């Protein structure tokens, strides 16, 4: 299981369920237990997917340019 939550800087991050602290890219150490969990997912692929979606909600679709923006979907 992976937990998804936000840092105080607004960035969505994920970590493994057992992990106690997570360092955000902004440099802040997050205590996972004190965060409000946005979502729980099964694997790391879903976790990074969800985080990307949350980032897009906050910063707009242009924030990330990723492979799934290419209209060549499977
Ligand atoms: Zn942060």
């Amino acid at each position: 299981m992976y937990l998804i939550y936000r840092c105080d800087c607004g960035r969505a991050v994920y970590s493994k369920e057992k992990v106690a602290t997570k360092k955000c890219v902004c440099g802040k150490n997050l205590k996972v237990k004190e965060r409000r969990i946005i979502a729980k997912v099964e694997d790391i692929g879903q976790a990074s997917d969800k985080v990307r979606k949350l980032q897009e909600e906050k910063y707009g679709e242009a924030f990330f340019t990723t492979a799934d923006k290419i209209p060549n979907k499977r």
Side-chain angles (χ1 to χ4, degrees):
M1 276 297 218
Y2 287 81
L3 305 176
I4 295 155
Y5 43 92
R6 276 194 202 277
C7 176
D8 295 337
C9 71
R11 191 176 294 272
V13 293
Y14 64 86
S15 64
K16 265 197 138 154
E17 197 174 22
K18 297 276 154 58
V19 171
T21 58
K22 164 86 179 179
K23 190 166 185 179
C24 178
V25 291
C26 73
K28 188 176 167 66
N29 278 305
L30 304 170
K31 292 194 182 84
V32 176
K33 275 195 177 126
E34 294 174 3
R35 309 313 302 181
R36 193 167 61 86
I37 303 305
I38 300 167
K40 280 187 182 184
V41 295
E42 292 295 331
D43 63 54
I44 197 159
Q46 289 175 302
S48 62
D49 220 53
K50 182 76 180 161
V51 163
R52 199 185 64 237
K53 287 201 178 88
L54 288 163
Q55 291 297 97
E56 284 171 358
E57 275 171 28
K58 189 169 175 71
Y59 298 106
E61 301 241 336
F63 189 75
F64 278 93
T65 305
T66 54
D68 66 353
K69 295 289 189 302
I70 301 163
N72 187 18
K73 287 205 169 168
R74 66 195 118 117

